[in-house]
Amino acid sequence: SDRGSAVAILPLHGALSLAEQEQVLRRPPAPKMAASRVILATDLAETSLTIPGIGAVVDSGLTRKPRFAPASGLTRLVTLPIPLASADQRAGRAGRLGPGVCYRLWTPAREVGRPAHRTPEILQSDLAGLALELALWGVRDPTDLGWLQPPPRPAWEQAIALLKRLEALDAAWHITRLGRAMTGLPLHPRLAALLLGAPAPLTGTAVDLCALLSERDPHLSRPGEPGTADLETRLIALTAWRTRREPSDSGRARQPAPAHPSNEGPEWQDMDPRRLAAVDRAATQLHRLLKGLAREPRPGIASAGGLLALAYPDRIAQRRDDREARYRLAQGTGAILPAGDPLAAQPYLVVASLDGLGREGQIQLALPIARDEILALAEHQLRHERVMTWDEAREATSAQEVVRFEALTLNTRPVPLQASDPVPELLLARISRDPAQALPWGPEARQLQARVALLRQMEPEAGWPDLCEARLVADLADWLGPWLAGKRGLADVRGLDLAAILAERLDWPQRQRLDQEAPTHLLTPASTRRPIDYLAGDTPLLAVPLQEMLGARETPRIAGGRMPLLVQLLSPARRPIQLTRDLPGFWAGSYAAVRKEMRGRYPKHHWPEDPANAAPLARSLKPRSPRKGED
């Protein structure tokens, strides 16, 4: 509409150039006074600046403030309700030069709980720059100074730790030569360390990186389209802007590239030329300030990512187990790239900006870096560790030499096992997870377990050891550990005689008594030795051919006659034909029916009418009748 064309919408924030800010603060010429102006302002409007022509203020009651977290070392922007004093300041803009009105976009009830004044900046800021400046003055302990509000101890300690890491302070908190040079640059100590540590061939890239990270991000995200976190795209766009801008005369302001970069080459996509111009101005200033400063180029740097690592060594990031877009920072926290970001293909990154929210902060600005470059940069911080692991495929222990940089594992290689390696501990840990599968549980070992358990139940006061699996696992190191010397894997363990090892849990008298009270075999009336199965159930089982038990007038017993065996009488084909705990009762009762059936099936075998008084046979065939002339 005609009225709409007469409205000027002007932004006002600290990142604008002086000329752009003056355009807002300057009173328009008289012919233009009739035109309406809408000024979209940040907290800058709360200062003592007078903006002419303001008759109304619309206050959201919110502000975006940086908040520093000492635990993570990250600063992030958060949206907060403004304090009451700020609300009064904002309302005052409407009545600065005459009557005005302020429209507050909140109810009086929402003012309850708002702070009266702003929180002092020193309580919520990164103190690295302050700590470096105080170190230059010779102050190592901030309590030596008188403060309106002393710096919080956690943030101060984090700042000191960072400065030591950047080699701006020595171990005694004294400022170093590099630290003195860093104070000559209007940069955060991280960026100052980057600029002063850059090798000569990469000085231009270092300056551009510092300028990009000091100014507003020139990348403009489109609605619904996640932008890339790759700082390389910004560096390319800055170079393109410089080659396409109009040449400038000496002393005249440089002219930016066209205001519609989308119509230019691909390197211009989604970039703001005005912000690129601000970055270029900052880079020019840094080039000038860098002259004459003592620089300490770091060896091993070959890329922009390597330069960035000088500033953010704690934010070198490694992709997690090839999981796309998820990374682990050297400081131990997690990070994630925006969905579809091309940087997700990189195994290592250096993160310059992270939102710090949640368990995994979102990476906002980063550069790739090669592993070899990390190894060179962090040479004195690397830890070489010998690590023992369990190889599940081989079911054996293995040794690796692991190279770590803080929370990151940069390299591993297999190495031979040594006599001093804690192999038995790894074997014990693996066995304890699944002892039934890992140990050589042969029948003899299981029978020994059951025999001891039976006597332990019958004689609870006799001191029999507990050989149940739960107790054995709990005491694994005590009874099995000594037998694992020289063993490397489960194949070696399975070659052990587990029954003999378990028997070592018994003293000599107990072993003698075990063989007497719970023998492994029973001598039958036919003088054959038949095994007793202690795993068959509550009662031990004796499986024996019927003919070998002929003449037995009592049920076989163990434990000094206290426990009858469960007798399983077998056919000549070794198939069960009767289970009984009362052998005399079987002879006198159901044997007749069994004899009738078995004689039909096995006519050549001996089925006497009176089994209790018949002679036992080691073989079940009928006894041979004497030939004529034989005794």
Side-chain angles (χ1 to χ4, degrees), residues 246-255:
E246 296 180 10
S248 60
D249 296 333
S250 175
R252 190 176 67 179
R254 292 170 175 169
Q255 301 298 314

XYZ file of all heavy atoms in Angstrom, residues 246-255:
76
model
N 34.295 -4.483 -5.986
C 34.832 -3.423 -6.820
C 36.156 -2.939 -6.259
O 36.298 -2.797 -5.047
C 33.838 -2.264 -6.875
C 32.526 -2.627 -7.540
C 31.578 -1.452 -7.561
O 32.023 -0.342 -7.229
O 30.403 -1.656 -7.895
N 37.141 -2.646 -7.097
C 38.410 -2.102 -6.591
C 38.157 -0.800 -5.838
O 37.289 -0.012 -6.207
C 39.246 -1.869 -7.851
C 38.603 -2.736 -8.890
C 37.149 -2.802 -8.559
N 38.909 -0.569 -4.796
C 38.714 0.640 -3.986
C 39.942 1.530 -4.070
O 41.069 1.058 -4.161
C 38.449 0.257 -2.527
O 39.533 -0.463 -2.015
N 39.694 2.820 -4.037
C 40.804 3.764 -3.999
C 41.336 3.863 -2.591
O 40.655 3.536 -1.627
C 40.315 5.158 -4.446
C 39.853 5.134 -5.895
O 40.361 4.275 -6.646
O 38.971 5.943 -6.245
N 42.540 4.333 -2.486
C 43.154 4.470 -1.173
C 42.346 5.445 -0.316
O 41.974 6.522 -0.770
C 44.596 4.989 -1.337
O 45.153 5.223 -0.077
N 42.074 5.031 0.883
C 41.341 5.890 1.805
C 39.845 5.842 1.613
O 39.115 6.515 2.335
N 39.347 5.100 0.609
C 37.907 5.024 0.409
C 37.401 3.664 0.852
O 38.074 2.658 0.644
C 37.583 5.233 -1.082
C 36.083 5.417 -1.334
C 35.819 5.706 -2.793
N 36.144 4.529 -3.616
C 35.980 4.494 -4.936
N 35.564 5.561 -5.572
N 36.290 3.399 -5.605
N 36.226 3.656 1.431
C 35.659 2.388 1.926
C 35.485 1.411 0.787
O 35.093 1.782 -0.321
C 34.324 2.658 2.608
N 35.789 0.162 1.044
C 35.614 -0.876 0.029
C 34.136 -1.116 -0.225
O 33.320 -1.088 0.691
C 36.254 -2.178 0.503
C 37.765 -2.091 0.588
C 38.307 -3.313 1.275
N 39.764 -3.320 1.278
C 40.491 -4.152 1.993
N 39.909 -5.013 2.783
N 41.802 -4.104 1.928
N 33.800 -1.371 -1.467
C 32.411 -1.637 -1.820
C 32.154 -3.132 -1.817
O 32.920 -3.897 -2.391
C 32.105 -1.076 -3.222
C 32.333 0.417 -3.320
C 31.415 1.170 -2.379
O 30.227 0.893 -2.307
N 31.977 2.121 -1.648
